[in-house]
Amino acid sequence: MLKKIRIALSLILFTLITLYFLDFREFLPHRLSFLAEIQLIPALLALNIVILISLAALTLLFGRVYCSSICPMGIYQDIVAWLSKRVHKKKKYHYSKAKTLLRWSVLAGTALTFVFGFSFLLGLLDPYGAYGRIVTHLFRPVYLAGNNLLETIFTSFNNFTFYKVSIYTLSLFSLVTALITLLVIGYLAWRNGRTWCNTICPVGTILGFLSKFSLFRIRFIDEKCNMCGLCAMKCKASCIDSKNKQIDHSRCITCFNCIESCNRNAMKYTFKKNANEVPAYTYLKEEKPVNESKRRFLSATLVTGLAAGKLAAQMTSHSLLLEEAADDLLPKRAFKRQTPIAPPGALTFDHLQEKCISCHLCVSKCPSHVIKPAFLEYGLGGMMQPKLYFDHGFCNYDCTICGEVCPTGAILLLTKEEKNHTQMGQVQLIIENCIVYYDETSCGACSEHCPTQAVHMIPYKGMLTIPEIRPEICVGCGGCEYVCPAIPHKAIYVEGLRSQNTIEIEHEEVEEIVIDDFGF
C-alpha cells in the first residue's frame, strides 16, 4: 500500500511539473508555480524559510520522501529504471558501499564555487533546474510539433481548436547540455537505479545527511528475516546489506520496493528504535570536514549581491546633424549589443547570477518568446541564465509572468506599475541604417511601438519625419528593435544595463473640458 501511494503521488507531481513547463496556451493556472517553489534548491536560494523547514521536517520524520516523490529528476530516474526492468526481466540490483568522499566533495565544490560567484555548477547539478532544461529544450519542441500536427488535421475539417506555433532553437549550448544531462542520468538509472542521486546530486547528499536521523525508517525484523537477499535485489539505491541486515539510511529514498518484495514480512516501515538498533555504517560518522562544507553551502545564499559595476558603455544620445545633400550619406553599419538585457525584475547581473539555477521556467512561460538562455554574455558564471532578445517579439509592457513563475527570486515579482517604470536597457539609434535617412521613405514603426515615447518622430525633409531618441525614459522593451524594417542591419536597438533603474515618465496633462450645454 505504501508503495502504491508513493507511485500515485509521484506520477501526479511529475505530470503536473512537466505539463506546467510545456503549457503554452496557459490552460494550467499560475498557482501551480508552487510546484517549483517546493523544490529544495529554489527554496534555499529564495530563502523560503517555511518551505525549508517543511522539507527538513519531512525528511527528519519520514526519510528521503522528497527524492522519491517530489523531485522530478528522481521520478524520471524511477521511470527509466522501471523501463529497464521491463526489458531485462531478470535484472537484479546489488548492494554497494556509499561513495561518501565523492558525494561530499561534489557538494563542497558546488558550495565553494557558488560562494565565489560561479553559480553555473549549482545550476548544472540542481535536479530541478536540470529537469526544467530537459523539458524546455527537448520535450517542448516535440510537444509543439504535436500541437502543429493536430492543428493541420483539425483545420482540414474546419475545426480551429488548435493554432500553429513557431518552433525554433532557443540556445544550442543549452540544448546540448540538456541532451547530455538526459542521456547521462538516464544511462545511470538504466544500469543502477539511483546512482546519480546518491553519488553526484547535492540535494541527495544534503537530504541523505538528514535522513540518517529520520524517525520513521525501514528496518529489518530479525526473527523473520532469513537473509534471502530479495530486498537488496530490488533496492535501486543499492543501500541494503542483507547479509548483515543493515540499511544505509543516508541513501535510502523510501521507495518501499524492499518491503513489497519481502515474502516473510521481515521488513517494516516503522518508528525508529532507539535501543538495540544496528547503527548505519560507522564510516558515515566521520564527517567533521564535510559538515563544514555543508554549512558553507547553506549559508552561501545569505551573501548579498555585490555592488553593481559601472555601465559597460556610457549611453550617449545621438544628435541628428544631417546633411541635405544625398552624396553625403553615411554607410550602413551593423550593431553588436555590448551588454545583455536581463529580464525585468532581475535587478542586477550579480543578483541574477546569485539566485538563478537556469531552470528555464521563465523561458518556457514567456508569452512573447523573448527570453532565451545566455551563453557567455554574462560571463562563465552566467551561462544558461535568461536574457532578452527581440528576434521573435518584444517584452509586453504590462507583462510580469517571468517574475510570477521564478521560484528562486532571481527575477523579482513586479506589479504592472513597477514593470512600467523598470528600465532594463536603453534605446540606441544608428541613423545611417534608418530607411527614412537612407532611402528617404516614410516609416515611423519604431515610434508607433514605443510605450513611453523614448522614440518619437521629428520633422526631416519635406513631409518626412525621422526618429529621435530619449534613452533616459526607455524601458528597454525592444518593441522598436523588433519592428524596425531596416535591412540588413537594424537602425534601432536596445543596449542592456548591468543594473536596472527605476525611471520617471512624464505624461502630458490633458486639459479637462467642461461642457455646460449640448455640444451642438
Side-chain angles (χ1 to χ4, degrees), residues 121-369:
L121 186 59
L122 176 62
L124 185 68
L125 298 181
D126 170 51
Y128 169 75
Y131 183 74
R133 291 190 296 273
I134 289 173
V135 176
T136 300
H137 297 284
L138 299 178
F139 298 169
R140 197 165 188 266
V142 177
Y143 182 80
L144 296 180
N147 170 84
N148 291 347
L149 177 61
L150 290 175
E151 185 272 340
T152 302
I153 296 173
F154 276 62
T155 302
S156 64
F157 293 98
N158 293 323
N159 186 317
F160 303 98
T161 302
F162 297 89
Y163 60 88
K164 189 162 290 186
V165 293
S166 300
I167 305 174
Y168 48 85
T169 302
L170 294 166
S171 167
L172 182 60
F173 178 77
S174 296
L175 174 65
V176 172
T177 301
L179 181 60
I180 293 175
T181 303
L182 176 76
L183 295 178
V184 169
I185 297 180
Y187 173 77
L188 293 175
W190 184 274
R191 289 290 304 273
N192 298 305
R194 289 296 190 104
T195 301
W196 174 269
C197 292
N198 288 329
T199 54
I200 304 297
C201 179
V203 173
T205 302
I206 294 173
L207 295 181
F209 174 79
L210 294 178
S211 67
K212 291 193 300 181
F213 309 102
S214 60
L215 297 181
F216 286 88
R217 56 175 61 180
I218 298 172
R219 65 182 181 89
F220 284 94
I221 300 177
D222 292 342
E223 59 272 17
K224 293 185 177 181
C225 179
N226 63 352
M227 296 185 291
C228 66
L230 280 176
C231 53
M233 296 178 190
K234 297 292 184 179
C235 179
K236 56 195 172 189
S238 302
C239 67
I240 298 179
D241 183 2
S242 58
K243 294 181 179 179
N244 297 311
K245 299 182 182 180
Q246 291 181 332
I247 301 174
D248 181 358
H249 294 287
S250 72
R251 290 187 290 158
C252 176
I253 58 168
T254 322
C255 66
F256 307 118
N257 286 356
C258 54
I259 295 178
E260 292 287 327
S261 65
C262 185
N263 298 323
R264 301 173 61 87
N265 293 322
M267 303 195 78
K268 295 290 183 181
Y269 182 64
T270 59
F271 191 78
K272 173 184 176 182
K273 279 188 173 182
N274 291 322
N276 299 324
E277 183 175 21
V278 179
Y281 299 101
T282 55
Y283 61 81
L284 293 175
K285 296 180 179 179
E286 299 177 2
E287 294 173 343
K288 291 183 180 179
V290 293
N291 281 344
E292 182 61 28
S293 298
K294 172 181 169 291
R295 286 194 292 270
R296 286 198 303 268
F297 178 77
L298 294 176
S299 63
T301 56
L302 299 178
V303 180
T304 57
L306 299 175
K310 294 183 178 180
L311 296 179
Q314 293 182 346
M315 303 304 172
T316 59
S317 61
H318 289 269
S319 61
L320 299 176
L321 302 175
L322 304 175
E323 299 291 336
E324 290 289 337
D327 293 338
D328 294 333
L329 288 177
L330 298 171
K332 293 184 178 182
R333 62 185 175 92
F335 78 89
K336 182 178 181 181
R337 208 184 322 271
Q338 300 297 319
T339 307
I341 308 168
L347 299 185
T348 67
F349 289 0
D350 291 329
H351 173 83
L352 181 65
Q353 291 189 22
E354 287 175 2
K355 296 286 188 178
C356 182
I357 56 171
S358 306
C359 68
H360 295 175
L361 184 56
C362 59
V363 175
S364 178
K365 303 299 286 186
C366 177
S368 301
H369 311 294

Side-chain angles (χ1 to χ4, degrees), residues 287-516:
E287 294 173 343
K288 291 183 180 179
V290 293
N291 281 344
E292 182 61 28
S293 298
K294 172 181 169 291
R295 286 194 292 270
R296 286 198 303 268
F297 178 77
L298 294 176
S299 63
T301 56
L302 299 178
V303 180
T304 57
L306 299 175
K310 294 183 178 180
L311 296 179
Q314 293 182 346
M315 303 304 172
T316 59
S317 61
H318 289 269
S319 61
L320 299 176
L321 302 175
L322 304 175
E323 299 291 336
E324 290 289 337
D327 293 338
D328 294 333
L329 288 177
L330 298 171
K332 293 184 178 182
R333 62 185 175 92
F335 78 89
K336 182 178 181 181
R337 208 184 322 271
Q338 300 297 319
T339 307
I341 308 168
L347 299 185
T348 67
F349 289 0
D350 291 329
H351 173 83
L352 181 65
Q353 291 189 22
E354 287 175 2
K355 296 286 188 178
C356 182
I357 56 171
S358 306
C359 68
H360 295 175
L361 184 56
C362 59
V363 175
S364 178
K365 303 299 286 186
C366 177
S368 301
H369 311 294
V370 297
I371 304 180
K372 69 178 292 185
F375 181 44
L376 294 174
E377 291 87 347
Y378 294 124
L380 289 174
M383 287 192 293
M384 299 193 299
Q385 293 183 348
K387 69 167 187 176
L388 300 189
Y389 76 123
F390 306 119
D391 293 352
H392 300 284
F394 57 92
C395 183
N396 293 335
Y397 190 52
D398 292 331
C399 180
T400 59
I401 289 179
C402 54
E404 293 174 8
V405 302
C406 180
T408 66
I411 303 175
L412 298 181
L413 175 60
L414 303 176
T415 64
K416 289 185 178 180
E417 181 69 17
E418 291 171 334
K419 166 67 185 303
N420 294 342
H421 291 80
T422 297
Q423 187 181 58
M424 304 172 285
Q426 291 183 329
V427 62
Q428 302 293 301
L429 178 63
I430 306 176
I431 194 63
E432 54 266 38
N433 292 354
C434 182
I435 64 173
V436 179
Y437 172 79
Y438 203 86
D439 298 331
E440 295 190 357
T441 301
S442 179
C443 185
C446 52
S447 176
E448 293 172 1
H449 285 76
C450 181
T452 66
Q453 283 303 289
V455 184
H456 57 278
M457 307 303 288
I458 61 173
Y460 181 49
K461 290 181 179 180
M463 300 297 292
L464 294 177
T465 56
I466 198 164
E468 183 181 63
I469 61 173
R470 294 180 61 192
E472 66 275 7
I473 63 171
C474 174
V475 294
C477 68
C480 57
E481 180 180 329
Y482 171 65
V483 301
C484 179
I487 55 175
H489 309 302
K490 298 277 188 180
I492 197 163
Y493 70 99
V494 178
E495 188 66 42
L497 298 174
R498 292 187 63 87
S499 178
Q500 295 180 354
N501 302 321
T502 300
I503 61 174
E504 294 294 332
I505 303 174
E506 297 180 0
H507 297 281
E508 295 182 2
E509 295 184 2
V510 180
E511 183 180 353
E512 184 178 356
I513 301 175
V514 179
I515 302 177
D516 296 330

Side-chain angles (χ1 to χ4, degrees), residues 99-110:
K99 308 296 189 295
T100 307
L101 180 61
L102 176 60
R103 295 168 69 187
W104 287 98
S105 296
V106 172
L107 177 60
T110 305

Side-chain angles (χ1 to χ4, degrees), residues 70-120:
I70 299 177
C71 176
M73 186 62 79
I75 303 170
Y76 161 69
Q77 292 175 79
D78 285 350
I79 294 173
V80 173
W82 179 82
L83 292 174
S84 176
K85 292 281 287 185
R86 302 283 78 76
V87 174
H88 306 286
K89 297 186 181 299
K90 296 183 178 181
K91 182 176 181 179
K92 301 176 182 178
Y93 295 109
H94 303 281
Y95 165 74
S96 63
K97 290 186 177 181
K99 308 296 189 295
T100 307
L101 180 61
L102 176 60
R103 295 168 69 187
W104 287 98
S105 296
V106 172
L107 177 60
T110 305
L112 288 175
T113 55
F114 179 76
V115 168
F116 288 105
F118 188 74
S119 55
F120 173 73

